[in-house]
Amino acid sequence: MTVASSAPTLVDLARQTRQAARALALLPTDDRRAALEAVAQSLSDRAAAIVAANEADCATAQAEGISSALYGRLKLDAVKLAGAIAGVRDLAQLPDPLGDRQIHRELDQGLVLERVTCPLGVLGVIFEARPDAVVQIAALAIASGNGVILKGGKEAVRSCQALIEAIHGGLANSAVDPAAVRLLTTREETLELLRLDRYVDLIIPRGSNAFVQFVQNNTRIPVLGHADGICHLYVDEAADLTKAVPIAVDAKTQYPSACNAIETLLVHRAIAPQGLPELARALVAKGVELRGDVAACELLQEVCEITPATETDWATEYSDLILSIKLVADLDEAIDHITTYGSGHTEAIVTEDDAAADRFLAEVDAAGVYRNCSTRFADGFRYGFGAEVGISTNRLPPRGPVGLEGLVTYKYRLTGQGHVAATYAGADAKPLTHRDL
């Protein structure tokens, strides 16, 4: 009698991904680049099916009352998909992050040390909505020689499955084992993934504050990411309003559900009588709901609708067309407010005063500090990284948008000719040369 074999467990699948990742790490640059092109072509060939799957996800999510912020992240139309595909091809043109010899040093004649970059191993990436993350992260993993286990939210399951089918279809025509890229779909698998410390080397969560904290509290695997995206724009006394207004509008409204959209506008009291009404009108025209401190409410009461802000507002990531406004006496107060409520993501100043700008850029502690430009530039694609696996607000590197360089580590390779440590120890120790080659 034949006994039916049981379905593979997640441990089995993770082990297979790790094996595929080891083989991927050894592939030449050209093979990995060819795999990326094959993936891009497969995604392009199946674009209509992917968009249709996403439309079905969006319809279901709307019927279930999804928030506007999550819906914005969930939607993957033809234009957004084309941008993701272009990002895959851009990645293939970037310098290979692997095999970079960072140190080449003679310790003694015939004893040579090298420090060389290599992949991390297997990434576990868990995200809410955002099916385009599947494309970005899979491409980054392939380019950096890493395996990846992806877990998308239930609201994007059709989209993610359609994308993975296309990615696997492309990899099947390349030197990369499709098992190097794997998709999980159930909540139970999320918890199990967080326990796979033998097979997964880094967890990258992308989602709400509560979601990221849940991941951080339920795994022994190192976690890279950020819990909040509370970003500020400070309009200084020396700001040029012809710059400040479009920057504020873009930073709030260009993609309000993004983690690099501003949640609070700080305005110097000296420029507020002239500048704040102009800023407010432009924001309200874009559908932004304004909340302000007492001074802002008084100044805008006859200009537009504004409601009083509470202490909670300063610490809230709205991810929506809502903006808090606070008037500050000077640069010191602006920096103090950002220090108190900012999440270390991205902060910006609008000013023509070089000294004020220099202080802001030096003193504000965030992964990104900007002058006279929108916080929406905090993005791996816009930085020229090709794509990103996420944005890290950790003080230890990698920090900010994490692209290829953030997905590699290094190893020390030492080659000798029978050398032993005893030669260089004791009363008659031979000195090491430490000569860079």
Side-chain angles (χ1 to χ4, degrees), residues 356-371:
D358 289 346
R359 274 198 61 203
F360 186 92
L361 298 180
E363 295 181 27
V364 171
D365 182 16
V369 283
Y370 295 179
R371 177 187 182 183

Side-chain angles (χ1 to χ4, degrees), residues 67-75 80 128-130 207-208 226 229 250-263 317-322 376:
S67 70
S68 59
L70 272 180
Y71 183 80
R73 294 172 182 168
L74 173 62
K75 189 170 183 179
K80 201 171 180 181
E128 295 176 322
R130 303 201 68 159
S208 67
H226 67 279
D250 183 86
K252 179 71 258 186
T253 70
Q254 197 267 335
Y255 188 10
S257 58
C259 57
N260 57 14
I262 60 169
E263 308 296 4
E317 181 180 9
Y318 300 116
S319 299
D320 203 350
L321 289 172
I322 304 170
R376 286 283 293 125

